[in-house]
Amino acid sequence: MFTGQVFSKLEGAFTAGMIHLGDRLGLYRAMARSDGPVTSEQLADHTGLQERWVREWLANQAAARLIELDASGDADLFSLSGEARVVLASPEHPAFGMGMFHRLPATMGALELMPEAFATGMGHDYDSHGPQGAEGIERSFEPWNNANLLRKVLPAMDGAVDRMRAGASVVDVGCGAGGAVILMAEAFPESSFVGYDISEHALDRANIKLHESGLTNVRFADPRHDPMPGDGSVDIVTAFDCIHDMAHPQPVIEAIRAALADDGHWLLVDIRAAETLSGNIEANPMASLLYGISVLACMSSALSEPDGAGLGTLGLPASKAEQMARAAGFTRFETLDVQHPMNAFYEVRP
């Protein structure tokens, strides 16, 4: 039984690789566009791929119960359920789930770096995952943000939307590929926006998207060369899923406080975590996944500089976030009523 449990994890790893291929090769999208179930020959024709390879991929997906198999006729027929279309083939839907699979090869490639990291204690930043890593994070977070940031998250903050409509100075810390910044800049043309990140690959993506958008009220910067203002001139700061990744989060939080006006708002979004390991294991069925991601990505990034904090993916529960915020000079810390499968949302005020 224990052997079965162990090898079920290996099955998941190989099937995750097949999910990556299904997304990368357009197999899911081709199935979603089809008028009905398809044979392996039809799917191969639709995608311009070799039938024998497509057939074996379909076998894996059917065995994993990710696609539906109809074996009642002369030829096996394969199709996507409604839920599968959303998760596997609909980038515009908030439940789209291909971002982590997009960056799977880059993430798993970090395994080669881990023996040295375990021996020395030094991790590797997100740019060690290459451009694919930045694109994967972009595809992971933007579908949900596109559907909910303007409609649910910002209105949950006390008065923030009114300030942005009137014209506010807004900073996004850890902006990644810039999706949230550009979304807000389009919605609030009277406000000015700056997105900060230290990932060259993410900033490259952000500047490409900015050029395509034609917006003039937003720019992107590396804070190591162009730091945030420290004069209290910023009205609103956002930080989406990045504080736990930072090697030195406390100084960043202090810089956010220095940048914010005394009546400003900080929207802090981070992974919802319990206070203890046992609490995370009991409350989160994805805890083992998140701790694995932490070793290969989040904690590795947070230990990529000397004396890194090493918080890790599940290292910022609400109590620690509040403690760090108050140590930086914030006086109010409120959990917002925003439902998300993985994240917690906080409004932090001076």
Side-chain angles (χ1 to χ4, degrees), residues 99-291:
M100 286 300 297
F101 294 95
H102 179 95
R103 61 191 291 251
L104 181 66
T107 303
M108 299 309 290
L111 287 171
E112 295 299 321
L113 304 174
M114 288 302 105
E116 181 183 4
F118 273 67
T120 65
M122 288 298 296
H124 301 271
D125 65 18
Y126 271 95
D127 273 358
S128 67
H129 293 203
Q132 193 177 57
E135 292 173 21
I137 293 173
E138 174 187 355
R139 295 184 76 203
S140 292
F141 292 105
E142 288 194 6
W144 193 92
N145 281 342
N146 288 342
N148 295 284
L149 178 58
L150 300 178
R151 189 166 60 92
K152 292 182 179 180
V153 179
L154 296 181
M157 299 171 64
D158 184 19
V161 170
D162 288 339
R163 293 184 73 165
M164 294 170 80
R165 284 175 179 156
S169 171
V170 184
V171 161
D172 185 27
V173 172
C175 65
V181 179
I182 289 174
L183 187 67
M184 292 187 290
E186 289 175 338
F188 302 104
E190 300 302 319
S191 291
S192 62
F193 297 81
V194 183
Y196 291 98
D197 209 291
I198 63 172
S199 165
E200 293 182 9
H201 296 309
L203 289 174
D204 286 345
R205 294 281 300 168
N207 280 307
I208 289 170
K209 295 172 74 168
L210 175 59
H211 176 73
E212 293 172 347
S213 74
L215 292 169
T216 59
N217 62 332
V218 57
R219 67 182 181 91
F220 295 101
D222 184 330
R224 295 170 296 188
H225 311 304
D226 182 4
M228 281 192 298
D231 58 359
S233 61
V234 176
D235 299 302
I236 297 169
V237 173
T238 58
F240 299 96
D241 291 282
C242 62
I243 296 296
H244 71 268
D245 295 310
M246 294 180 178
H248 303 292
Q250 188 63 47
V252 173
I253 295 173
E254 291 168 2
I256 291 172
R257 176 62 192 95
L260 265 181
D262 288 340
D263 62 346
H265 308 252
W266 175 25
L267 172 63
L268 168 59
V269 182
D270 216 286
I271 305 296
R272 185 186 302 108
E275 299 292 331
T276 63
L277 168 60
S278 60
N280 282 319
I281 292 173
E282 291 169 6
N284 193 336
M286 294 289 107
S288 61
L289 169 65
L290 294 175
Y291 282 117

Side-chain angles (χ1 to χ4, degrees), residues 27-33 37 57 66-68 78-86 88-89:
L27 289 160
Y28 296 126
R29 294 186 294 276
M31 294 183 73
R33 289 194 300 265
W57 177 83
L66 297 178
I67 66 175
E68 297 183 349
F78 303 91
S79 60
L80 298 179
S81 68
E83 293 82 359
R85 287 172 182 262
V86 163
L88 302 173

